[in-house]
Amino acid sequence: QVQLVESGGGLVQAGDSLTLSCAASGRTLSDYTMGWFRQAPGKEREFVARIARSSVNTDYADSVKGRFTITRDNAKNTVFLQMNSLKAEDTAVYYCGVDTLARTSRNRDYYNRWGQGTQVTVSS
């Protein structure tokens, strides 16, 4: 089974940038769709971005489009989320997930493995 570990979160000010990483072990990620989701206190886990096996195929939530970029390095078995121009409303725990059936969806129910999450806090 694949295990995922997120890192790179922290406390930043509005307008700053952060890069999150999601490192995988147990299986190679190259055959899978990878996604980033986030969950703020009292809210459901929501879609942020996903990247298909082909790195050309990406998708973003409207709230982050133009500010966040998802990439993958299959050689390092790692997926990244570059976050620029951070806003207070980006504050959440960020999770990476893997869809081992390689679908291209925003539906979190399609992602069957998750990491433990990394906290991102943006002060205004």
Tab-separated table of all heavy atoms in Angstrom, residues 3-48:
chain	number	residue	atom	x	y	z
A	3	GLN	N	1.920	4.907	1.186
A	3	GLN	CA	1.866	5.799	2.342
A	3	GLN	C	2.287	7.195	1.884
A	3	GLN	O	3.228	7.332	1.090
A	3	GLN	CB	2.795	5.340	3.468
A	3	GLN	CG	2.352	4.079	4.181
A	3	GLN	CD	2.754	2.821	3.469
A	3	GLN	OE1	3.862	2.724	2.949
A	3	GLN	NE2	1.851	1.859	3.413
A	4	LEU	N	1.577	8.195	2.391
A	4	LEU	CA	1.825	9.573	1.993
A	4	LEU	C	2.206	10.403	3.215
A	4	LEU	O	1.583	10.261	4.275
A	4	LEU	CB	0.578	10.176	1.344
A	4	LEU	CG	-0.004	9.426	0.147
A	4	LEU	CD1	-1.329	10.051	-0.269
A	4	LEU	CD2	0.976	9.440	-1.010
A	5	VAL	N	3.187	11.280	3.043
A	5	VAL	CA	3.604	12.170	4.125
A	5	VAL	C	3.718	13.582	3.567
A	5	VAL	O	4.537	13.837	2.672
A	5	VAL	CB	4.951	11.735	4.724
A	5	VAL	CG1	5.371	12.725	5.818
A	5	VAL	CG2	4.857	10.331	5.297
A	6	GLU	N	2.892	14.481	4.110
A	6	GLU	CA	2.939	15.879	3.697
A	6	GLU	C	3.925	16.649	4.573
A	6	GLU	O	4.130	16.302	5.747
A	6	GLU	CB	1.561	16.547	3.820
A	6	GLU	CG	0.455	15.909	3.012
A	6	GLU	CD	-0.374	14.946	3.834
A	6	GLU	OE1	0.166	14.399	4.826
A	6	GLU	OE2	-1.541	14.721	3.499
A	7	SER	N	4.485	17.698	4.011
A	7	SER	CA	5.365	18.592	4.752
A	7	SER	C	5.354	19.958	4.088
A	7	SER	O	4.848	20.105	2.970
A	7	SER	CB	6.798	18.044	4.803
A	7	SER	OG	7.325	17.926	3.494
A	8	GLY	N	5.910	20.942	4.799
A	8	GLY	CA	6.061	22.269	4.218
A	8	GLY	C	5.103	23.312	4.740
A	8	GLY	O	5.208	24.481	4.376
A	9	GLY	N	4.162	22.900	5.585
A	9	GLY	CA	3.233	23.871	6.134
A	9	GLY	C	3.916	24.796	7.125
A	9	GLY	O	5.072	24.610	7.493
A	10	GLY	N	3.176	25.809	7.557
A	10	GLY	CA	3.726	26.743	8.527
A	10	GLY	C	2.851	27.958	8.702
A	10	GLY	O	1.733	28.021	8.186
A	11	LEU	N	3.382	28.924	9.446
A	11	LEU	CA	2.698	30.191	9.705
A	11	LEU	C	3.348	31.265	8.842
A	11	LEU	O	4.557	31.499	8.934
A	11	LEU	CB	2.821	30.555	11.176
A	11	LEU	CG	2.327	31.939	11.595
A	11	LEU	CD1	0.838	32.080	11.319
A	11	LEU	CD2	2.632	32.189	13.061
A	12	VAL	N	2.534	31.896	8.004
A	12	VAL	CA	3.033	32.936	7.109
A	12	VAL	C	2.083	34.122	7.139
A	12	VAL	O	0.983	34.027	7.686
A	12	VAL	CB	3.193	32.424	5.659
A	12	VAL	CG1	4.212	31.296	5.572
A	12	VAL	CG2	1.850	31.984	5.097
A	13	GLN	N	2.530	35.215	6.535
A	13	GLN	CA	1.674	36.396	6.438
A	13	GLN	C	0.961	36.410	5.083
A	13	GLN	O	1.417	35.786	4.106
A	13	GLN	CB	2.509	37.650	6.601
A	13	GLN	CG	3.096	37.817	7.994
A	13	GLN	CD	3.798	39.144	8.184
A	13	GLN	OE1	4.240	39.768	7.215
A	13	GLN	NE2	3.894	39.592	9.424
A	14	ALA	N	-0.123	37.124	5.037
A	14	ALA	CA	-0.853	37.268	3.781
A	14	ALA	C	0.080	37.824	2.706
A	14	ALA	O	0.862	38.747	2.972
A	14	ALA	CB	-2.057	38.178	3.969
A	15	GLY	N	0.003	37.232	1.522
A	15	GLY	CA	0.861	37.636	0.419
A	15	GLY	C	2.111	36.793	0.279
A	15	GLY	O	2.776	36.843	-0.772
A	16	ASP	N	2.441	36.016	1.293
A	16	ASP	CA	3.626	35.162	1.251
A	16	ASP	C	3.362	33.911	0.418
A	16	ASP	O	2.228	33.669	-0.040
A	16	ASP	CB	4.045	34.756	2.665
A	16	ASP	CG	4.710	35.887	3.421
A	16	ASP	OD1	5.011	36.929	2.794
A	16	ASP	OD2	4.919	35.725	4.643
A	17	SER	N	4.415	33.123	0.267
A	17	SER	CA	4.344	31.870	-0.494
A	17	SER	C	4.800	30.699	0.364
A	17	SER	O	5.595	30.874	1.307
A	17	SER	CB	5.232	31.952	-1.742
A	17	SER	OG	4.811	32.964	-2.611
A	18	LEU	N	4.288	29.539	0.038
A	18	LEU	CA	4.707	28.279	0.655
A	18	LEU	C	4.666	27.192	-0.402
A	18	LEU	O	3.848	27.272	-1.333
A	18	LEU	CB	3.773	27.863	1.788
A	18	LEU	CG	3.961	28.401	3.199
A	18	LEU	CD1	2.851	27.880	4.108
A	18	LEU	CD2	5.328	28.047	3.753
A	19	THR	N	5.526	26.199	-0.234
A	19	THR	CA	5.465	25.021	-1.086
A	19	THR	C	5.275	23.794	-0.214
A	19	THR	O	6.087	23.521	0.675
A	19	THR	CB	6.737	24.862	-1.916
A	19	THR	OG1	6.916	26.007	-2.758
A	19	THR	CG2	6.644	23.624	-2.807
A	20	LEU	N	4.187	23.101	-0.454
A	20	LEU	CA	3.914	21.855	0.243
A	20	LEU	C	4.444	20.684	-0.576
A	20	LEU	O	4.417	20.712	-1.811
A	20	LEU	CB	2.414	21.678	0.469
A	20	LEU	CG	1.690	22.816	1.186
A	20	LEU	CD1	0.225	22.436	1.392
A	20	LEU	CD2	2.347	23.173	2.482
A	21	SER	N	4.898	19.658	0.134
A	21	SER	CA	5.369	18.448	-0.513
A	21	SER	C	4.587	17.256	0.009
A	21	SER	O	4.165	17.237	1.168
A	21	SER	CB	6.859	18.221	-0.229
A	21	SER	OG	7.640	19.284	-0.705
A	22	CYS	N	4.418	16.276	-0.844
A	22	CYS	CA	3.755	15.024	-0.473
A	22	CYS	C	4.631	13.899	-1.002
A	22	CYS	O	4.686	13.669	-2.214
A	22	CYS	CB	2.368	14.974	-1.071
A	22	CYS	SG	1.526	13.396	-0.825
A	23	ALA	N	5.305	13.236	-0.086
A	23	ALA	CA	6.211	12.160	-0.462
A	23	ALA	C	5.521	10.818	-0.256
A	23	ALA	O	4.864	10.600	0.770
A	23	ALA	CB	7.482	12.233	0.372
A	24	ALA	N	5.705	9.940	-1.220
A	24	ALA	CA	5.056	8.642	-1.168
A	24	ALA	C	6.068	7.525	-0.985
A	24	ALA	O	7.202	7.620	-1.447
A	24	ALA	CB	4.264	8.400	-2.442
A	25	SER	N	5.628	6.482	-0.326
A	25	SER	CA	6.421	5.262	-0.208
A	25	SER	C	5.494	4.069	-0.356
A	25	SER	O	4.282	4.192	-0.207
A	25	SER	CB	7.139	5.205	1.145
A	25	SER	OG	6.201	5.214	2.204
A	26	GLY	N	6.060	2.953	-0.694
A	26	GLY	CA	5.261	1.741	-0.821
A	26	GLY	C	4.840	1.447	-2.246
A	26	GLY	O	4.729	0.289	-2.635
A	27	ARG	N	4.547	2.473	-2.997
A	27	ARG	CA	4.165	2.303	-4.391
A	27	ARG	C	4.656	3.525	-5.170
A	27	ARG	O	4.788	4.610	-4.612
A	27	ARG	CB	2.639	2.219	-4.542
A	27	ARG	CG	2.002	0.956	-3.989
A	27	ARG	CD	2.197	-0.233	-4.910
A	27	ARG	NE	1.528	-1.424	-4.399
A	27	ARG	CZ	0.284	-1.764	-4.706
A	27	ARG	NH1	-0.403	-0.999	-5.547
A	27	ARG	NH2	-0.252	-2.840	-4.202
A	28	THR	N	4.869	3.334	-6.440
A	28	THR	CA	5.211	4.470	-7.273
A	28	THR	C	3.951	5.254	-7.603
A	28	THR	O	2.887	4.673	-7.828
A	28	THR	CB	5.905	4.010	-8.569
A	28	THR	OG1	6.213	5.155	-9.352
A	28	THR	CG2	5.018	3.085	-9.367
A	29	LEU	N	4.068	6.566	-7.620
A	29	LEU	CA	2.902	7.428	-7.862
A	29	LEU	C	2.628	7.669	-9.333
A	29	LEU	O	1.597	8.243	-9.678
A	29	LEU	CB	3.109	8.770	-7.172
A	29	LEU	CG	3.162	8.771	-5.648
A	29	LEU	CD1	3.313	10.203	-5.159
A	29	LEU	CD2	1.930	8.115	-5.055
A	30	SER	N	3.527	7.267	-10.181
A	30	SER	CA	3.440	7.675	-11.582
A	30	SER	C	2.179	7.202	-12.278
A	30	SER	O	1.766	7.797	-13.266
A	30	SER	CB	4.671	7.194	-12.345
A	30	SER	OG	4.762	5.780	-12.292
A	31	ASP	N	1.537	6.149	-11.771
A	31	ASP	CA	0.330	5.628	-12.412
A	31	ASP	C	-0.957	6.200	-11.830
A	31	ASP	O	-2.049	5.841	-12.275
A	31	ASP	CB	0.279	4.108	-12.280
A	31	ASP	CG	1.354	3.418	-13.089
A	31	ASP	OD1	1.823	4.015	-14.080
A	31	ASP	OD2	1.728	2.292	-12.723
A	32	TYR	N	-0.845	7.090	-10.862
A	32	TYR	CA	-2.009	7.521	-10.113
A	32	TYR	C	-2.297	9.010	-10.281
A	32	TYR	O	-1.396	9.811	-10.520
A	32	TYR	CB	-1.807	7.248	-8.625
A	32	TYR	CG	-1.518	5.805	-8.279
A	32	TYR	CD1	-0.670	5.481	-7.230
A	32	TYR	CD2	-2.099	4.763	-9.000
A	32	TYR	CE1	-0.406	4.163	-6.901
A	32	TYR	CE2	-1.833	3.437	-8.677
A	32	TYR	CZ	-0.991	3.150	-7.622
A	32	TYR	OH	-0.732	1.853	-7.290
A	33	THR	N	-3.556	9.362	-10.098
A	33	THR	CA	-3.931	10.757	-9.956
A	33	THR	C	-3.658	11.194	-8.514
A	33	THR	O	-3.976	10.469	-7.576
A	33	THR	CB	-5.421	10.955	-10.273
A	33	THR	OG1	-5.655	10.636	-11.646
A	33	THR	CG2	-5.856	12.381	-9.996
A	34	MET	N	-3.081	12.357	-8.370
A	34	MET	CA	-2.797	12.906	-7.054
A	34	MET	C	-3.575	14.188	-6.841
A	34	MET	O	-3.744	14.983	-7.774
A	34	MET	CB	-1.301	13.203	-6.906
A	34	MET	CG	-0.411	11.983	-7.065
A	34	MET	SD	-0.734	10.727	-5.827
A	34	MET	CE	-0.352	11.619	-4.317
A	35	GLY	N	-4.036	14.392	-5.625
A	35	GLY	CA	-4.809	15.592	-5.333
A	35	GLY	C	-4.395	16.237	-4.027
A	35	GLY	O	-3.875	15.572	-3.133
A	36	TRP	N	-4.625	17.529	-3.954
A	36	TRP	CA	-4.485	18.276	-2.705
A	36	TRP	C	-5.875	18.749	-2.287
A	36	TRP	O	-6.620	19.292	-3.106
A	36	TRP	CB	-3.565	19.479	-2.875
A	36	TRP	CG	-2.105	19.142	-2.904
A	36	TRP	CD1	-1.307	19.009	-4.012
A	36	TRP	CD2	-1.255	18.917	-1.776
A	36	TRP	NE1	-0.027	18.699	-3.636
A	36	TRP	CE2	0.035	18.641	-2.267
A	36	TRP	CE3	-1.453	18.923	-0.397
A	36	TRP	CZ2	1.117	18.378	-1.417
A	36	TRP	CZ3	-0.376	18.656	0.438
A	36	TRP	CH2	0.891	18.388	-0.081
A	37	PHE	N	-6.172	18.549	-1.020
A	37	PHE	CA	-7.413	18.998	-0.428
A	37	PHE	C	-7.068	19.770	0.841
A	37	PHE	O	-5.956	19.684	1.349
A	37	PHE	CB	-8.308	17.802	-0.084
A	37	PHE	CG	-8.887	17.102	-1.280
A	37	PHE	CD1	-8.088	16.320	-2.120
A	37	PHE	CD2	-10.236	17.207	-1.587
A	37	PHE	CE1	-8.610	15.675	-3.227
A	37	PHE	CE2	-10.777	16.560	-2.694
A	37	PHE	CZ	-9.960	15.793	-3.507
A	38	ARG	N	-8.022	20.502	1.364
A	38	ARG	CA	-7.785	21.218	2.612
A	38	ARG	C	-9.042	21.213	3.467
A	38	ARG	O	-10.161	21.098	2.953
A	38	ARG	CB	-7.326	22.648	2.346
A	38	ARG	CG	-8.361	23.544	1.681
A	38	ARG	CD	-7.738	24.885	1.297
A	38	ARG	NE	-8.708	25.790	0.687
A	38	ARG	CZ	-8.404	26.961	0.150
A	38	ARG	NH1	-7.121	27.376	0.125
A	38	ARG	NH2	-9.337	27.730	-0.377
A	39	GLN	N	-8.819	21.340	4.751
A	39	GLN	CA	-9.939	21.335	5.684
A	39	GLN	C	-9.700	22.393	6.747
A	39	GLN	O	-8.730	22.313	7.521
A	39	GLN	CB	-10.106	19.965	6.328
A	39	GLN	CG	-11.346	19.822	7.171
A	39	GLN	CD	-11.645	18.377	7.522
A	39	GLN	OE1	-10.810	17.484	7.398
A	39	GLN	NE2	-12.876	18.126	7.949
A	40	ALA	N	-10.585	23.372	6.760
A	40	ALA	CA	-10.550	24.421	7.766
A	40	ALA	C	-11.410	23.996	8.953
A	40	ALA	O	-12.298	23.152	8.806
A	40	ALA	CB	-11.053	25.731	7.172
A	41	PRO	N	-11.186	24.571	10.118
A	41	PRO	CA	-11.976	24.199	11.296
A	41	PRO	C	-13.466	24.371	11.051
A	41	PRO	O	-13.911	25.416	10.564
A	41	PRO	CB	-11.475	25.166	12.374
A	41	PRO	CG	-10.097	25.505	11.961
A	41	PRO	CD	-10.121	25.527	10.461
A	42	GLY	N	-14.217	23.330	11.362
A	42	GLY	CA	-15.664	23.389	11.224
A	42	GLY	C	-16.179	23.229	9.813
A	42	GLY	O	-17.386	23.346	9.578
A	43	LYS	N	-15.279	22.963	8.884
A	43	LYS	CA	-15.683	22.811	7.482
A	43	LYS	C	-15.303	21.433	6.961
A	43	LYS	O	-14.462	20.748	7.534
A	43	LYS	CB	-15.040	23.897	6.622
A	43	LYS	CG	-15.502	25.299	6.958
A	43	LYS	CD	-14.969	26.305	5.955
A	43	LYS	CE	-15.483	27.699	6.239
A	43	LYS	NZ	-14.996	28.697	5.246
A	44	GLU	N	-15.925	21.062	5.847
A	44	GLU	CA	-15.595	19.794	5.224
A	44	GLU	C	-14.296	19.916	4.431
A	44	GLU	O	-13.882	21.009	4.035
A	44	GLU	CB	-16.731	19.348	4.304
A	44	GLU	CG	-18.013	19.011	5.042
A	44	GLU	CD	-19.039	18.372	4.130
A	44	GLU	OE1	-18.827	18.362	2.904
A	44	GLU	OE2	-20.053	17.868	4.643
A	45	ARG	N	-13.687	18.773	4.197
A	45	ARG	CA	-12.485	18.741	3.373
A	45	ARG	C	-12.867	19.107	1.939
A	45	ARG	O	-13.779	18.518	1.360
A	45	ARG	CB	-11.850	17.362	3.432
A	45	ARG	CG	-10.471	17.284	2.811
A	45	ARG	CD	-9.835	15.922	3.067
A	45	ARG	NE	-9.665	15.662	4.499
A	45	ARG	CZ	-9.000	14.624	4.985
A	45	ARG	NH1	-8.416	13.754	4.160
A	45	ARG	NH2	-8.904	14.434	6.284
A	46	GLU	N	-12.159	20.080	1.381
A	46	GLU	CA	-12.507	20.565	0.055
A	46	GLU	C	-11.360	20.388	-0.921
A	46	GLU	O	-10.181	20.416	-0.544
A	46	GLU	CB	-12.917	22.042	0.101
A	46	GLU	CG	-11.808	22.990	0.501
A	46	GLU	CD	-12.232	24.454	0.400
A	46	GLU	OE1	-13.405	24.753	0.113
A	46	GLU	OE2	-11.350	25.309	0.615
A	47	PHE	N	-11.727	20.258	-2.161
A	47	PHE	CA	-10.767	20.098	-3.246
A	47	PHE	C	-9.971	21.380	-3.442
A	47	PHE	O	-10.514	22.478	-3.391
A	47	PHE	CB	-11.526	19.750	-4.531
A	47	PHE	CG	-10.695	19.810	-5.775
A	47	PHE	CD1	-9.834	18.774	-6.101
A	47	PHE	CD2	-10.782	20.902	-6.625
A	47	PHE	CE1	-9.069	18.838	-7.248
A	47	PHE	CE2	-10.025	20.971	-7.779
A	47	PHE	CZ	-9.168	19.925	-8.099
A	48	VAL	N	-8.667	21.202	-3.683
A	48	VAL	CA	-7.803	22.335	-3.998
A	48	VAL	C	-7.228	22.195	-5.408
A	48	VAL	O	-7.364	23.083	-6.236
A	48	VAL	CB	-6.646	22.449	-2.977
A	48	VAL	CG1	-5.661	23.542	-3.387
A	48	VAL	CG2	-7.190	22.704	-1.578
